[in-house]
Amino acid sequence: MIIRAPSRLHMSLIDLNGSYKRIDGGIGLALSDPQFVLESEETNEKGFTLEFADSVSDDSKEECLEKIPNAAQKIAEQCNIESGFHFKVLEAYPPHSGLGSGTQIAVCTAHLMTETMGLKFSSRELSTMVGRGGTSGIGTFAHDLGGFIVDGGHSLDEKPGFLPSSASKAKPAQLIARYEFPEEWNILLAIPEVTHHVHDQQEVNVFQTYCPIPKTEVEQVSHLILMNLIPFLLEKDIKNFGWAIKELQKVGFNKLEHSLDDSFLPTMKAIDDAGAYGTGISSFGPTLYTVFDDENKDIVDAAAELVGEDRVKVVKAQNHGYVLEK
């Protein structure tokens, strides 16, 4: 059995203030490329074995060697699965790239095992079982549904403090809305080469040191999403959708990220100056993104000159979730 799952952009967290009895919340988008593709086979021997296609990079292998057995063990224990499994990673993309590899690896593993055993669980249930999605629901719902996702975060009764998904025990966030993303819009990914990635304890430290974010800023984020970004998306107004992305970089958690690491700002400004409608950063980066059409397609070459041709990718949104091949 093979599962194919989209990567995702995490475009913004919404409320890391908590004055209104909820925290977290976010917006994001499923991408058709890159994908995480995993194959599995039930075995008679207990335990989990793992191999990789030749194209899988060393850093992806390292993440998979940690997360696949970890997720498999959790599923085996919670579902009383005694069989072993052999997994082969056919396609992967780098960890800590801002594209959500961790959730896809864990939930894909869970889906393959439960489907093989004839067990039916939702992606949200599987995310809970493998310990993913404790801050953001974007990865979970991108996996399940594709498209443009809005999640409503967590009640303070369930999650009283500010933590990233990797350190939170909360269930995946509540889905508010899911929209089809215009098929005709192109998405440019530009991935600057960096030597430092924010993850694990460093990510925890950011949440615990700098939250709560000012209430006025989360109100601005909410307004930009509800009254600008989503309406412009539904109206297929690509220029103003891009403008809203640009404005979201100036407030809330995105603003905090840029203040802690401003190394991305010159590249983002240069892409905007080259004609982009608005450039954003996905999660903690380093992936930068913008939407474009025929009017400003020259930004692809401009981005390639800035970060290197091999670090630029033109993709589409994916308006459906994971695919199983039996």
Side-chain angles (χ1 to χ4, degrees), residues 1-75:
M1 187 181 296
I2 295 175
I3 189 168
R4 302 178 183 275
S7 53
R8 62 94 178 110
L9 296 175
H10 196 291
M11 301 165 72
S12 181
L13 286 164
I14 298 174
D15 190 336
L16 291 181
N17 175 270
S19 295
Y20 296 111
K21 295 193 176 183
R22 296 188 72 84
I23 59 172
D24 303 330
I27 55 171
L29 179 65
L31 300 177
S32 62
D33 186 27
Q35 297 252 317
F36 181 70
V37 184
L38 183 64
E39 183 177 20
S40 72
E41 182 179 2
E42 186 181 4
T43 64
N44 293 324
E45 297 181 9
K46 288 188 176 182
F48 312 106
T49 55
L50 192 55
E51 68 172 308
F52 299 90
D54 292 341
S55 60
V56 177
S57 65
D58 288 342
D59 51 356
S60 293
K61 288 179 182 178
E62 185 177 346
E63 183 180 35
C64 289
L65 284 166
E66 173 194 349
K67 287 188 166 61
I68 290 176
N70 182 273
Q73 188 62 41
K74 289 177 179 177
I75 294 299

Side-chain angles (χ1 to χ4, degrees), residues 293-323:
D293 55 17
D294 286 344
E295 286 189 31
N296 66 339
K297 60 185 179 182
D298 290 347
I299 63 169
V300 177
D301 291 337
E305 289 184 12
L306 288 165
V307 301
E309 190 172 347
D310 61 336
R311 305 187 72 82
V312 167
K313 186 184 286 284
V314 174
V315 303
K316 295 282 189 178
Q318 179 166 307
N319 283 317
H320 63 84
Y322 70 94
V323 174

Side-chain angles (χ1 to χ4, degrees), residues 53-317:
D54 292 341
S55 60
V56 177
S57 65
D58 288 342
D59 51 356
S60 293
K61 288 179 182 178
E62 185 177 346
E63 183 180 35
C64 289
L65 284 166
E66 173 194 349
K67 287 188 166 61
I68 290 176
N70 182 273
Q73 188 62 41
K74 289 177 179 177
I75 294 299
E77 291 174 356
Q78 293 175 71
C79 297
N80 296 315
I81 296 174
E82 296 185 358
S83 303
F85 279 83
H86 177 70
F87 297 98
K88 184 174 182 179
V89 180
L90 302 178
E91 294 181 32
Y93 47 95
H96 314 306
S97 59
L99 295 173
S101 59
T103 293
Q104 300 311 317
I105 291 170
V107 180
C108 282
T109 302
H111 256 130
L112 287 176
M113 291 179 66
T114 53
E115 287 285 339
T116 297
M117 305 309 295
L119 305 173
K120 298 297 181 183
F121 293 97
S122 70
S123 296
R124 190 168 188 263
E125 289 172 325
L126 292 175
S127 289
T128 302
M129 292 162 72
V130 297
R132 302 298 303 183
T135 294
S136 168
I138 300 303
T140 298
F141 295 116
H143 174 92
D144 198 38
L145 305 170
F148 180 87
I149 302 294
V150 187
D151 82 62
H154 299 90
S155 164
L156 287 173
D157 293 335
E158 179 182 5
K159 185 184 176 187
F162 303 103
L163 286 170
S165 290
S166 60
S168 171
K169 302 299 183 183
K171 295 179 181 178
Q174 182 65 49
L175 179 68
I176 293 179
R178 180 264 178 202
Y179 301 102
E180 295 279 303
F181 198 82
E183 300 280 357
E184 63 271 23
W185 289 8
N186 299 304
I187 302 164
L188 170 67
L189 305 180
I191 310 175
E193 191 165 4
V194 297
T195 57
H196 175 71
H197 300 276
V198 177
H199 60 91
D200 298 332
Q201 189 57 45
Q202 292 173 317
E203 196 175 8
V204 172
N205 292 343
V206 169
F207 277 77
Q208 295 190 333
T209 302
Y210 297 99
C211 296
I213 285 174
K215 184 177 178 181
T216 54
E217 291 201 23
V218 303
E219 290 171 343
Q220 286 178 280
V221 170
S222 300
H223 186 94
L224 281 166
I225 292 169
L226 181 63
M227 292 302 297
N228 297 104
L229 193 77
I230 294 174
F232 289 138
L233 170 66
L234 297 178
E235 293 167 353
K236 297 188 176 182
D237 183 341
I238 190 172
K239 293 181 180 178
N240 279 316
F241 182 86
W243 171 85
I245 289 173
K246 188 174 182 178
E247 291 301 302
L248 280 169
Q249 308 311 303
K250 302 175 184 177
V251 289
F253 199 78
N254 284 345
K255 175 185 173 183
L256 170 62
E257 289 176 323
H258 297 318
S259 71
L260 295 175
D261 183 359
D262 62 3
S263 63
F264 300 107
L265 293 178
T267 303
M268 295 172 71
K269 183 178 186 304
I271 294 174
D272 284 343
D273 289 347
Y277 300 135
T279 304
I281 188 168
S282 181
S283 190
F284 276 96
T287 296
L288 309 176
Y289 68 91
T290 188
V291 291
F292 71 97
D293 55 17
D294 286 344
E295 286 189 31
N296 66 339
K297 60 185 179 182
D298 290 347
I299 63 169
V300 177
D301 291 337
E305 289 184 12
L306 288 165
V307 301
E309 190 172 347
D310 61 336
R311 305 187 72 82
V312 167
K313 186 184 286 284
V314 174
V315 303
K316 295 282 189 178

